[in-house]
């Protein structure tokens, strides 16, 4: 039951308890109780709204930063990850396998703002060995939601001489 509730909420966090109860063949009270339990246990961590910023007048820049770090004895990567995710600019931090250790996603108002964050806050951290910053040019799909008009991306027009 929990997985079904989580899937419903993941796809539409505005779905009502009543609608979930009907879809899952149970009562509103059962749904409400399960969700409250999952919130208390930290399974459900929050509710967000997805915004396609490209369709607004707001200027935003997203950057993905590869970070190589020296893990601390007895703490591994957790302590440095915690220091990084506490910055307001940081949207996400993930421990990675491969050529770098942490993937950090941040958002800023401009490329300059992102550069200042990397230069003044991220790179100087004691355990950080190196960073590589990549700017997101366009988002096509995020959190399972397509952000572009399907008609515009279906294919190329054929041009004949």
């Amino acid at each position: 039951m929990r997985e079904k509730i989580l899937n419903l909420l993941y796809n539409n966090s505005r779905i009502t308890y009543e609608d979930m109860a009907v879809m899952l063949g149970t009562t509103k009270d059962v749904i409400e109780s399960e969700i409250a339990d999952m919130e208390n246990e930290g399974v459900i961590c929050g509710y967000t709204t997805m915004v396609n910023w490209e369709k607004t007048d707001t200027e935003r820049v997203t950057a993905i930063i590869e970070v190589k770090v020296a893990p601390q004895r007895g703490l591994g990567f957790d302590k440095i990850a915690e220091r990084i995710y506490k910055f307001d600019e940081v949207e996400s931090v993930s421990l990675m396998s491969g050529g770098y250790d942490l993937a950090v996603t941040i958002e800023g108002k401009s490329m300059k703002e992102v550069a200042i964050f990397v230069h003044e806050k991220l790179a100087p951290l004691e355990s950080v060995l190196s960073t590589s910053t990549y700017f997101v040019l366009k988002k096509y799909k995020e959190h399972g939601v397509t952000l572009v008009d399907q008609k515009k991306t279906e294919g190329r027009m054929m041009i004949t001489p």
Side-chain angles (χ1 to χ4, degrees):
M1 169 84 74
R2 280 184 159 205
E3 186 174 342
K4 290 178 181 178
I5 292 171
L6 291 171
N7 282 324
L8 289 172
L9 287 172
Y10 183 81
N11 290 319
N12 178 9
S13 62
R14 295 183 64 177
I15 190 170
T16 66
Y17 294 162
E18 292 85 0
D19 287 346
M20 278 194 272
V22 169
M23 294 169 81
L24 300 177
T26 188
T27 66
K28 174 188 175 228
D29 292 339
V30 168
I31 298 294
E32 198 169 328
S33 174
E34 283 288 333
I35 289 174
D37 288 347
M38 287 189 281
E39 289 172 344
N40 290 332
E41 295 166 15
V43 174
I44 296 175
C45 303
Y47 301 87
T48 61
T49 300
M50 285 196 46
V51 177
N52 185 350
W53 291 105
E54 288 187 16
K55 293 191 175 196
T56 71
D57 293 333
T58 305
E59 291 292 324
R60 291 178 77 101
V61 175
T62 302
I64 300 168
I65 307 165
E66 297 176 351
V67 184
K68 289 184 183 180
V69 300
Q72 296 177 334
R73 186 178 309 265
L75 300 172
F77 296 99
D78 294 346
K79 192 67 176 169
I80 186 65
E82 180 182 359
R83 289 195 63 198
I84 293 170
Y85 70 63
K86 285 187 175 181
F87 289 119
D88 290 336
E89 298 90 342
V90 174
E91 293 292 317
S92 69
V93 177
S94 301
L95 181 62
M96 306 299 291
S97 64
Y100 58 97
D101 303 305
L102 299 173
V104 178
T105 304
I106 72 164
E107 289 198 356
K109 293 178 183 174
S110 66
M111 288 183 171
K112 182 177 181 178
E113 187 175 276
V114 170
I116 290 170
F117 169 81
V118 172
H119 173 72
E120 293 181 0
K121 294 182 179 179
L122 183 60
L125 292 176
E126 189 175 310
S127 297
V128 172
L129 301 175
S130 67
T131 64
S132 294
T133 303
Y134 304 89
F135 290 98
V136 175
L137 302 178
K138 183 173 185 167
K139 293 181 182 180
Y140 294 96
K141 187 174 185 177
E142 188 171 36
H143 297 289
V145 177
T146 303
L147 300 176
V148 294
D149 295 332
Q150 293 291 330
K151 294 175 186 169
K152 290 183 181 177
T153 61
E154 282 180 355
R156 297 180 180 195
M157 286 181 34
M158 194 165 120
I159 300 175
T160 57

